[in-house]
Amino acid sequence: MNWKINTLEYTNDADKGVIVVHWDCSKTDGDHSGRRYGAESFTPDPSSEDYIAYADLTEETVIGWVHGVVDKDAIEASVQAQIDTKANPVVMKGIPWT
C-alpha cells in the first residue's frame, strides 16, 4: 500500500499547528488499482513535550498520526477489495449477440 499526505491545513500563527491532514491510500496491481482518501482533524498543543514544529514535520511522522486515528487495516482491505473486484468482476455487461 502507498500512503501519502496530500496537504496539511495549519494555523496561521507562529506555531503553525496542523489542524487537518488530507491523506491518500492507494495501490496498483498490474492493470488494476484502488484508492481511498480522507481528511483527519487534529488539535495541536504547542506546549506539549511531543509537539513537533511545522518545519520539522516529515511525511512519515504525519502518516503515523493518521494511522493512529483511522482503521488502517480496514482502509487497506478496502483498497485491496477494489483491486480484486476489478480483476474478477462480480457483474458483467454485454449482449450475447452481435
Side-chain angles (χ1 to χ4, degrees):
M1 293 293 158
N2 180 38
W3 284 84
K4 86 175 192 178
I5 302 303
N6 295 326
T7 193
L8 302 174
E9 295 179 39
Y10 54 90
T11 58
N12 187 21
D13 57 19
D15 295 319
K16 293 186 178 177
V18 174
I19 54 175
V20 179
V21 175
H22 297 266
W23 58 267
D24 196 289
C25 177
S26 62
K27 180 180 178 184
T28 299
D29 186 0
D31 293 334
H32 308 290
S33 63
R35 177 177 180 236
R36 290 274 312 268
Y37 58 91
E40 303 305 321
S41 296
F42 294 89
T43 304
D45 181 3
S47 66
S48 171
E49 67 181 43
D50 62 346
Y51 182 80
I52 302 171
Y54 181 83
D56 296 330
L57 289 173
T58 65
E59 186 171 32
E60 181 180 329
T61 296
V62 178
I63 287 172
W65 294 353
V66 171
H67 288 172
V69 297
V70 301
D71 188 339
K72 178 180 178 275
D73 292 338
I75 290 169
E76 291 182 353
S78 172
V79 170
Q80 186 61 52
Q82 291 174 28
I83 293 168
D84 295 345
T85 299
K86 290 175 183 175
N88 300 297
V90 176
V91 176
M92 303 292 288
K93 294 191 265 185
I95 53 175
W97 59 90
T98 52

